[in-house]
Amino acid sequence: MQIIIYDNAQQVAVNAAKWVQSLIKEKATPVLGLATGNTPIRLYQELVAQYQAGNCSFANVTSFNLDEYHKINEKNPQSYRSFMQENLFKHVDIEKAKTFLPTCQQDQNPREQGLAYEEKIKQAGGIDLQILGIGANGHIGFNEPTSSLTSRTRIKTLTQQTLTDNSRLFADDEVQPTTAMTMGIATIMEARYILLMATGKGKAQAVKDMITGSVSANCPASILQMHENAVILLDKAAASMLDDHNYYQWADQQNRKLNQEFGFYHNF
Ligand code: GLP
């Protein structure tokens, strides 16, 4: 894993946006994996600003979101479709027909929907760059602790901790869904690059477990230790429980020098 520690959340977002821009400029038909939650909001704001400044276009982008609540109408303001619309899609030139979320409506079979989502990703050529946040319990997407490390897109029951963490987003008269469709861990691991962002003290323990703990279904994000191209962008608060802080910063400086010498290395 490449671990990069920035002073604050804004720097995390600006640097994550550089990765996304680099992908969408270099590939003719880029495929982006997208995430919801608080963490990526600044990234999306930065991408919108770059788009408005004429520095990038999403016209050729196909996107696949990590997850979506089960049986939620896309027009519901709590749906992840609405979240993406409000925070990114409506501000840029992405084509709605090329934006996908793992939906499952009342009359649909979650298993069939999951398989169909996997197939769609395959048909698009696979995900080039997957954006991830991390739950306070180490979840990625909605792959809660104990999720199989070889899981595929499917329905998951959310843990009490995730429900409590996300309850701030629901008004008293709104029903908070307790199940969701999510890309599986194996689905996420097939992305060519992973860009995980974590900010704030509340993520420090999960970040420590992900980076220095054993690979375990109890901390689904720890599987990223097995990914060839996982880049972890942290602010100081999220990195505060890591022992090897100095090494990560020194290694990052060396990587920058290598980048200057050999060019920004990636292989989308
Ligand atoms: C949510 C999402 C995840 C997200 C995580 C952290 O429940 N399913 O994709 O990464 O929880 O969210 P936040 O960035 O708001 O802390």
Side-chain angles (χ1 to χ4, degrees):
M1 286 190 279
Q2 192 183 340
I3 294 143
I4 312 180
I5 303 167
Y6 295 101
D7 283 342
N8 54 52
Q10 188 56 24
Q11 285 180 17
V12 169
V14 167
N15 284 284
K18 286 184 186 159
W19 280 85
V20 175
Q21 279 178 267
S22 158
L23 166 72
I24 65 182
K25 273 184 194 157
E26 285 172 33
K27 264 208 115 171
T29 54
V31 181
L32 258 181
L34 296 173
T36 53
N38 268 338
T39 314
I41 291 179
R42 286 173 198 266
L43 162 65
Y44 297 146
Q45 286 168 346
E46 177 63 18
L47 288 173
V48 170
Q50 293 295 333
Y51 167 75
Q52 285 169 347
N55 295 333
C56 60
S57 163
F58 292 79
N60 297 323
V61 171
T62 298
S63 71
F64 290 93
N65 263 78
L66 282 168
D67 41 24
E68 176 60 287
Y69 288 119
H70 186 208
K71 296 184 190 169
I72 200 164
N73 188 296
E74 70 166 32
K75 295 211 163 57
N76 184 325
Q78 292 290 355
S79 75
Y80 285 167
R81 163 67 71 186
S82 297
F83 175 98
M84 291 311 305
Q85 189 62 20
E86 286 309 306
N87 288 290
L88 182 66
F89 296 162
K90 79 173 186 190
H91 305 287
V92 298
D93 59 348
I94 200 164
E95 272 179 50
K96 187 178 178 195
K98 291 198 285 193
T99 63
F100 300 98
L101 287 93
T103 52
C104 186
Q105 298 305 328
Q106 197 85 26
D107 54 341
Q108 291 175 318
N109 177 326
R111 191 172 154 69
E112 282 169 13
Q113 290 299 107
L115 290 171
Y117 200 63
E118 295 280 332
E119 194 50 40
K120 247 183 245 163
I121 294 173
K122 217 182 275 173
Q123 278 167 11
I127 292 170
D128 293 306
L129 179 65
Q130 176 66 54
I131 306 294
L132 290 180
I134 183 170
N137 62 5
H139 74 224
I140 47 177
F142 268 134
N143 293 287
E144 297 284 29
T146 72
S147 285
S148 160
L149 298 178
T150 59
S151 51
R152 292 281 166 185
T153 305
R154 70 211 183 291
I155 193 164
K156 277 299 288 181
T157 300
L158 307 186
T159 60
Q160 197 49 53
Q161 179 173 3
T162 298
L163 291 171
T164 308
D165 288 349
N166 289 352
S167 62
R168 67 185 191 281
L169 304 167
F170 291 83
D172 289 346
D173 58 345
E174 283 179 319
V175 180
Q176 183 178 5
T178 55
T179 49
M181 291 291 289
T182 180
M183 273 187 205
I185 295 179
T187 323
I188 293 171
M189 287 293 282
E190 277 174 4
R192 293 180 186 94
Y193 268 79
I194 303 271
L195 201 60
L196 183 144
M197 296 179 288
T199 58
K201 207 152 181 60
K203 300 295 171 66
Q205 182 67 52
V207 164
K208 183 180 163 76
D209 294 346
M210 163 178 70
I211 295 173
T212 63
S214 314
V215 174
S216 158
N218 281 319
C219 177
S222 64
I223 191 70
L224 300 182
Q225 294 175 29
M226 308 286 286
H227 197 283
E228 201 183 355
N229 300 304
V231 181
I232 315 293
L233 306 183
L234 306 172
D235 70 357
K236 282 195 167 152
S240 60
M241 290 175 77
L242 295 175
D243 294 328
D244 276 340
H245 219 125
N246 291 340
Y247 170 72
Y248 301 132
Q249 286 182 324
W250 182 70
D252 183 40
Q253 282 166 15
Q254 301 308 308
N255 282 337
R256 281 169 211 265
K257 280 190 199 149
L258 289 169
N259 285 344
Q260 271 172 8
E261 200 176 338
F262 299 108
F264 188 39
Y265 174 76
H266 52 64
N267 188 17
F268 289 130

